[in-house]
Amino acid sequence: AIMSLSNAHHISKEEWESHNKMLLEPLAVNDSEVFSIIKKEKHRQTYGLELIASENFASRAVLEALGSCMNNKYSEGYPGQRYYGGTEHIDELERLCQKRALEAYSLDSEKWGVNVQPYSGSPANFAVYTAVVEPHGRIMGLDLPDGGHLTHGFMTEKKKISATSIFFESMPYKVHPETGYIDYDRLQENARLFHPKLIIAGTSCYSRNLDYARLKQIANENGAYLMGDMAHISGLVAAGVVPSPFEHCDIVTTTTHKTLRGCRAGLIFYRKGVQNVDAKGKETLYNLESLINQAVFPGLQGGPHNHAIAGVAVALKQAMTPEFKAYQLQVLANCRALSSALIDHGYKIVTGGSDNHLILLDLRSKGTDGGRAEKVLEACAIACNKNTCPGDKSALRPSGLRFGSPALTSRGLVENDFRKVAEFIHRGIELTVEVQKSLDPKATLKAFVQALSQVEKFQQRVAEIRVEVEAFAGQFPMPGLPEL
Ligand code: DSN
């Protein structure tokens, strides 16, 4: 039988056996090149200090679900209404994920629904705009240099950068350049002139709680929807340790891999039922459910990533445990410890501190900037990112560094450990200032990186810090799959 098969398909018995063996081999055997890159990345994650505020370490169970056979199945449509057969278990999984998503945020299924299919936060946001804002309709979001997100709209004098600004009309709102807090008064004035259809209550670099009640009032004045983008804080919201956007928003989007600590995906929550009742007692109902579901599929996406939905379902179950709440309280405590330790080292923190999982350190008074400091810290095995500070003149030379506590807290670090982390950061920034002083004040970032990597005394300093950072970081356990 095999011989006739091999004749028919021009494949020899040996080739077929070898093909079948290939399908069963572990990654390490089957593709040592990819395996070794993953190993190196695992080493970097284990022996470095991960302070990027949007990152986290997913649990073993989440990664197992993500690496499962759920990857193999197409299932365009929604539970009970699919375009392909064989979807009974996919339906069960998607319904479970929806149920857990509502439970994790204590939402009544009569009043809220959720779409668990968005591939990530950016497609989730775009799906919402597609659903409820007409082409070239108006959207207001926090400006990117002030701590917003690209998908909340972004354009320069020369060019519309974000698709939100290309296909819709975006007008940013700002933080106050001195205090770093959102300028709600100015937002209100501008909204009265701009008449947005949708206002976004969401941030990617803002260390303070949002005033959702005020934002809703501004939205209502203009007959606009209020969309919360809780991507950064969705784990904190699930744990109930920061104010929830659900009380005031009509729609809430999120990613699932930041503080929520799942795999990379997105969710859209939308209100159902009565939207408002007029003076005569006449009820208007929300019609978001079908608009949003249709925008996700068939509007924008193809088949849902069922392996990711499985991973999200697992993360949502974990998010409802007392252990998760304890973790999120520690995320907050660690962020405050990091913030106050850096203030003790003489640094300025934008807004003077943090209500959440991140801080923005302003390097202007130190005579250096975020781009240069980020490079030195990276060389010392400390991962963070440069970020504009309120009032920055140029987005090309951001003067701040954004640090977040979620990832290292997942490895078990507590306040004292974060004080040690602050010391490592301080040493890295001192070195940044020294390297910069050795160069012409107008030296480019490229020249800076060259000096850092070529001048022996700087290399020695980097090596000293790096050895200590790696020894320190290596003590803490690493969540995830043992082998990968
Ligand atoms: N990349 C994320 C962040 O770092 O905030 C936003 O999508």
Side-chain angles (χ1 to χ4, degrees):
I2 285 174
M3 282 315 289
S4 68
L5 177 104
S6 86
N7 287 339
H9 294 272
H10 306 285
I11 188 168
S12 71
K13 181 177 174 226
E14 289 71 28
E15 280 172 328
W16 190 240
E17 276 170 1
S18 150
H19 162 269
N20 292 342
K21 184 166 151 272
M22 176 180 78
L23 290 187
L24 298 174
E25 273 168 0
L27 180 64
V29 177
N30 183 255
D31 190 336
S32 59
E33 218 176 335
V34 167
F35 183 75
S36 101
I37 295 171
I38 295 175
K39 278 300 218 199
K40 283 188 283 184
E41 173 58 12
K42 174 95 172 205
H43 186 279
R44 188 196 68 79
Q45 292 185 13
T46 309
Y47 293 96
L49 292 175
E50 192 55 78
L51 289 160
I52 292 179
S54 47
E55 292 185 12
N56 213 331
F57 300 115
S59 66
R60 176 182 177 147
V62 164
L63 293 182
E64 281 179 2
L66 188 66
S68 70
C69 64
M70 291 305 201
N71 173 70
N72 302 337
K73 191 73 194 95
Y74 257 126
S75 58
E76 278 92 334
Y78 290 100
Q81 294 167 301
R82 304 283 188 183
Y83 288 83
Y84 296 111
T87 53
E88 65 266 40
H89 307 301
I90 300 297
D91 282 3
E92 186 184 357
L93 173 72
E94 187 164 338
R95 287 196 176 107
L96 178 66
C97 189
Q98 291 168 338
K99 181 169 160 284
R100 287 184 180 173
L102 295 182
E103 277 170 16
Y105 293 97
S106 309
L107 302 174
D108 177 350
S109 60
E110 295 289 310
K111 294 189 179 145
W112 285 90
V114 60
N115 187 308
V116 301
Q117 295 192 6
Y119 298 145
S120 200
S122 299
N125 286 350
F126 205 74
V128 171
Y129 311 150
T130 309
V132 301
V133 184
E134 71 287 358
H136 291 283
R138 295 175 179 189
I139 296 174
M140 289 185 84
L142 182 61
D143 209 4
L144 181 65
D146 293 41
H149 188 256
L150 266 173
T151 58
H152 300 174
F154 185 59
M155 55 204 270
T156 64
E157 283 144 32
K158 295 201 186 102
K159 202 172 169 209
K160 292 180 170 185
I161 311 283
S162 161
T164 307
S165 304
I166 296 170
F167 298 104
F168 304 93
E169 303 301 326
S170 66
M171 179 174 194
Y173 58 91
K174 308 281 292 175
V175 297
H176 195 280
E178 267 105 52
T179 65
Y181 280 82
I182 288 173
D183 190 342
Y184 292 100
D185 292 337
R186 203 165 145 215
L187 161 60
Q188 184 162 28
E189 280 170 29
N190 286 339
R192 280 176 185 155
L193 299 172
F194 189 62
H195 299 302
K197 183 82 182 275
L198 181 117
I199 298 178
I200 302 158
T203 64
S204 67
C205 186
Y206 189 65
S207 62
R208 296 300 178 178
N209 293 328
L210 292 179
D211 187 346
Y212 295 110
R214 181 86 197 268
L215 287 159
K216 180 62 176 167
Q217 178 219 332
I218 299 170
N220 281 349
E221 266 183 26
N222 294 281
Y225 287 111
L226 183 64
M227 181 191 103
D229 177 347
M230 63 167 186
H232 261 264
I233 55 164
S234 54
L236 298 165
V237 174
V241 301
V242 296
S244 165
F246 288 98
E247 200 186 330
H248 296 287
C249 293
D250 303 294
I251 300 163
V252 176
T253 61
T254 186
T255 52
T256 48
H257 47 274
K258 298 184 173 99
T259 46
L260 191 59
R261 207 166 55 188
C263 56
R264 303 183 93 96
L267 302 172
I268 305 172
F269 297 87
Y270 48 83
R271 279 192 189 262
K272 300 198 304 196
V274 180
Q275 184 172 13
N276 55 47
V277 185
D278 71 11
K280 289 182 191 149
K282 189 167 171 285
E283 289 181 344
T284 315
L285 299 180
Y286 277 105
N287 68 341
L288 295 171
E289 181 166 19
S290 63
L291 290 175
I292 286 175
N293 286 341
Q294 282 174 34
V296 174
F297 178 84
L300 288 163
Q301 296 195 165
H305 289 181
N306 295 308
H307 56 313
I309 292 174
V312 171
V314 173
L316 288 165
K317 180 170 182 234
Q318 292 179 356
M320 288 185 264
T321 59
E323 291 86 346
F324 190 76
K325 176 157 186 168
Y327 160 68
Q328 297 296 355
L329 287 169
Q330 194 62 50
V331 165
L332 295 182
N334 285 347
C335 189
R336 285 195 291 265
L338 179 65
S339 174
S340 65
L342 286 168
I343 290 171
D344 290 347
H345 281 297
Y347 294 97
K348 183 175 176 246
I349 304 293
V350 174
T351 75
S354 174
D355 298 328
N356 57 29
H357 62 298
L358 68 79
I359 53 170
L360 176 57
L361 186 137
D362 183 344
L363 287 167
R364 278 175 288 200
S365 61
K366 296 282 169 193
T368 186
D369 61 86
R372 284 156 182 78
E374 181 196 279
K375 291 288 180 205
V376 174
L377 292 176
E378 184 179 41
C380 300
I382 302 170
C384 63
N385 64 281
K386 59 183 170 294
N387 215 100
T388 41
C389 287
D392 257 350
K393 295 284 171 287
S394 161
L396 297 177
R397 197 164 176 163
S399 34
L401 285 174
R402 184 183 69 160
F403 295 107
S405 57
L408 287 182
T409 307
S410 290
R411 296 189 63 188
L413 278 77
V414 293
E415 289 96 318
N416 258 338
D417 305 313
F418 268 83
R419 283 182 202 108
K420 184 79 189 155
V421 169
E423 203 181 301
F424 286 129
I425 293 170
H426 175 50
R427 285 166 64 188
I429 295 175
E430 281 191 316
L431 177 56
T432 312
V433 173
E434 267 180 58
V435 177
Q436 205 170 330
K437 276 189 184 150
S438 76
L439 298 167
D440 186 282
K442 291 211 182 85
T444 59
L445 181 62
K446 196 168 162 209
F448 177 93
V449 172
Q450 232 163 28
L452 179 69
S453 60
Q454 284 168 11
V455 176
E456 206 185 311
K457 66 174 175 184
F458 297 145
Q459 271 302 284
Q460 265 173 15
R461 291 276 297 287
V462 165
E464 274 165 31
I465 302 173
R466 191 179 176 107
V467 164
E468 285 184 52
V469 165
E470 290 184 339
F472 174 76
Q475 305 170 76
F476 297 96
M478 189 66 187
L481 300 171
E483 267 309 294
L484 291 170

